[in-house]
């Protein structure tokens, strides 16, 4: 795909008008690693501004808990209530495994055909850092395009959950019914990040197990220290059935109640402000380090000094001091 | 402690002459976070050069395996053979726990009184990165002071083992006798880093258990993929008794044989070269990032832009691009 220098000027009004094709194209632009694309992406984000805001919901769940079915049912319910819903994915493993969550839109057949919904698979990028930047910029683009609920889906592995929690307003864990023993499988750190635990598959034969599991998680959540950003009763565990479309409205009401309480208490805006500052600082640090490899003159100097160090001609600290002095000039 | 601008010129010849007090003072200098001390530390390392080299041995073991007793016995044996032995510690937890491994020299009473030995406790620094830099620079200082064996001790927790493996020629795991079931407690990643596993306490009542444990580890090591840097029979597991001073000579002969084989095959120098280049690059990256907080003008600009981002006046990416442009000027 090519992007002319007029890309930002062309795309901005179309995104603000809610045009999905322009939004898709803009996300491809922010996913690009090319320096000229980066400059255009920055120009585009500058033009779009930061006025429009969605409720950003992080959703984590390991394969098999019924995440696609949940997003399909939950998304359709939101659309039915008049919301515009964007679904993004953070899957740092997709580059390795070849597959990607949300890669197959047929997994959310109804939602993907819905004009008020926008679904975007995870990009095939190896680095979590790259995925992070792309995703938070994609969130901004979706907000500018008028989507008022943005779901960010992630698989329950490694650091991707922390990453998603750091770019969302609410963080939801989707779980499957399980024996009491399996409860321990959820890491304490993940439990502490969760605002709600939804136990899915509370239907048919699994319903009793789902209700037991919900009660177990509710008990575990009560043992956690009360967080200042939580009203009474949160974090909470509830049982839902994505398949039978049961419990979804109640879960959504809970999410809205939690968000409303946090807005009223100032927690919501404070968290947004902290997140924005955090991403700004991360971006500066990453950009600074990127110069070491992208600037040809700096890169050549790094390699020459690195070779001298490897050959034992100079100490690492001495060569580093020389390089840093050169960078400061 | 104060360091005059003449510190480097004063300390260098005294360190090269093997004076332990000058060495101790120089390590205090490299541990300092002050910018002027850093400049002096770099000048000192430059003066000392990189000609003298020790065998650098990383030693990891959780509390209770008899690490101090092992270092005492192993160190005394080396000194008896005419070696000069330095012992350093990497303990990222010491800042939090208040205690520090090697903090109490009485734990190695004989070795600490030995003129051919030098023992230095872990500094109280919270950041693993800071401990890393200090330790590898301390290794260089010990080498310049004529110590030909440098032991770097670490507790078997978190990332400190990887860090120590990245700055040593050989990586040794010290283990206690255990039931077969406990074997699984050793993470695969740690096993893969180990060049030798020494099962300590092969004395008295524990001897049979130690021998069984050794056999278990030997079996586990055989299941690992053969590494190009290993001759036949390595990585290997042996049983030792630090208390009874048994098996230490054999273990040392094994270490020397492994080092000699790697030297002959070119692995030794290649690894050293890679490590030196790695530390140089790490130092440049850390130095570059440090400017964001140490340079008052840059810091002020970061804070102003960060506040604008937090207030929602500008997008993180846009502010970051502005900051990066300012840094490049």
């Amino acid at each position: 795909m090519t992007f002319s220098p007029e890309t930002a000027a062309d795309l901005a009004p179309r995104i603000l008008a809610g045009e999905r094709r322009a939004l898709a194209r803009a996300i491809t632009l922010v996913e690009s690693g090319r320096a000229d694309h980066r400059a255009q992406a920055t120009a585009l984000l500058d033009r779009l501004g930061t006025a429009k805001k969605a409720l950003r919901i992080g959703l984590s769940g390991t394969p098999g808990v019924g995440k696609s079915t949940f997003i399909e049912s939950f998304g359709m319910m939101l659309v039915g209530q008049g919301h515009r819903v964007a679904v993004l994915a953070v899957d740092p493993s997709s580059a390795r495994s070849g597959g990607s969550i949300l890669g197959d839109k047929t997994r959310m057949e109804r939602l993907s055909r819905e004009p008020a919904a926008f679904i975007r698979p995870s990009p095939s990028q190896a680095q979590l850092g790259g995925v992070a930047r792309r995703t938070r910029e994609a969130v901004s683009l979706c907000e500018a395009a008028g989507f008022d609920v943005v779901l960010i889906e992630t698989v329950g592995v490694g650091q991707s959950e922390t990453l998603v929690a750091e770019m969302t307003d609410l963080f939801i864990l989707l779980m499957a019914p399980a024996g009491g023993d399996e409860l321990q499988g959820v890491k304490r750190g993940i439990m502490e990040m969760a605002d709600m635990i939804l136990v899915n598959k509370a239907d048919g034969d699994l319903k009793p197990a789902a209700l037991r599991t919900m009660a177990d998680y509710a008990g575990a959540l009560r043992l956690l220290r009360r967080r200042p950003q939580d009203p009474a009763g949160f974090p909470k565990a509830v049982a839902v059935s994505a398949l039978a479309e049961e419990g979804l409205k109640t879960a959504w009401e809970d999410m809205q109640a939690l968000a409303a309480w946090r807005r009223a208490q100032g927690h919501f805006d404070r968290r947004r402000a902290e997140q924005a500052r955090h991403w700004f600082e991360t971006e500066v640090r990453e950009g600074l380090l990127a110069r070491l490899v992208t600037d040809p003159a700096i890169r050549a100097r790094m390699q020459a000094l690195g070779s001298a160090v490897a050959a034992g001609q100079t100490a690492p600290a001495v060569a580093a001091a020389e390089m840093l002095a050169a960078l400061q000039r």
Side-chain angles (χ1 to χ4, degrees), chain A:
Chain A
M1 204 179 261
T2 57
F3 295 98
S4 74
E6 294 76 34
T7 299
D10 167 49
L11 287 178
R14 290 168 55 201
I15 291 169
L16 291 168
E19 196 193 303
R20 293 199 299 179
R21 274 192 57 196
L23 173 59
R25 201 167 142 75
I27 294 179
T28 304
L29 178 65
V30 302
E31 282 173 5
S32 169
R34 272 176 49 180
D36 57 330
H37 289 171
R38 191 92 290 269
Q40 288 175 44
T42 308
L44 175 60
L45 290 163
D46 198 16
R47 270 173 191 270
L48 294 174
T50 56
K52 293 200 217 166
K53 295 285 183 204
L55 183 64
R56 304 171 188 166
I57 304 174
L59 181 73
S60 175
T62 45
V65 300
K67 205 143 33 91
S68 309
T69 313
F70 175 80
I71 294 173
E72 166 102 330
S73 298
F74 190 68
M76 288 304 292
M77 180 205 68
L78 292 175
V79 167
Q81 293 189 2
H83 293 289
R84 294 191 69 212
V85 182
V87 183
L88 303 169
V90 170
D91 180 10
S93 66
S94 67
R96 251 175 307 148
S97 66
S100 123
I101 44 176
L102 286 178
D104 185 5
K105 283 199 185 179
T106 58
R107 281 171 53 217
M108 297 172 198
E109 217 178 322
R110 285 184 298 153
L111 195 62
S112 62
R113 282 200 310 262
E114 190 54 62
F118 176 82
I119 299 179
R120 179 79 177 197
S122 187
S124 313
Q125 265 180 293
Q127 272 206 308
L128 200 56
V131 175
R133 172 201 262 172
R134 168 264 174 198
T135 307
R136 61 199 141 88
E137 293 186 349
V139 170
S140 300
L141 294 171
C142 291
E143 291 182 326
F147 290 92
D148 64 323
V149 179
V150 178
L151 288 174
I152 306 174
E153 171 191 20
T154 189
V155 287
V157 289
Q159 295 181 279
S160 67
E161 276 157 324
T162 308
L163 204 76
V164 168
E166 277 169 2
M167 59 173 81
T168 51
D169 304 312
L170 304 177
F171 187 72
I172 311 292
L173 269 184
L174 194 68
M175 310 294 290
D181 290 351
E182 292 175 50
L183 203 84
Q184 297 166 30
V186 186
K187 293 196 199 95
R188 191 184 164 87
I190 307 290
M191 289 279 271
E192 281 172 350
M193 286 195 300
D195 294 309
M196 284 183 74
I197 292 180
L198 306 187
V199 181
N200 194 21
K201 305 190 181 180
D203 46 48
D205 290 350
L206 284 172
K207 191 161 189 175
L211 294 175
R212 266 201 314 275
T213 304
M214 178 199 76
D216 287 345
Y217 283 124
L221 288 172
R222 270 193 299 273
L223 295 179
L224 295 178
R225 193 177 56 241
R226 172 87 174 273
R227 305 176 302 181
Q229 70 270 32
D230 290 331
F234 282 93
K236 72 160 66 173
V238 301
V240 300
S241 167
L243 198 67
E245 301 182 4
E246 282 172 12
L248 303 180
K249 278 209 169 68
T250 314
W252 172 236
E253 280 159 17
D254 283 334
M255 293 178 207
Q256 285 177 299
L258 178 57
W261 188 87
R262 287 187 183 165
R263 275 199 192 89
Q265 303 291 319
H267 293 300
F268 198 91
D269 287 342
R270 207 174 308 130
R271 184 175 161 89
R272 281 271 173 109
E274 279 165 16
Q275 287 177 342
R277 189 191 290 270
H278 169 73
W279 292 125
F280 158 68
E281 290 172 355
T282 302
E283 197 103 331
V284 171
R285 283 196 295 267
E286 284 172 2
L288 208 51
L289 296 180
R291 283 179 62 200
L292 296 176
V293 279
T294 54
D295 184 311
I298 294 174
R299 189 193 169 100
R301 185 95 181 242
M302 277 295 281
Q303 278 169 344
L305 282 166
S307 298
V309 166
Q313 291 155 6
T314 179
V318 177
E322 187 180 330
M323 189 71 219
L324 288 167
L327 284 166
Q328 210 145 0
R329 244 173 263 136

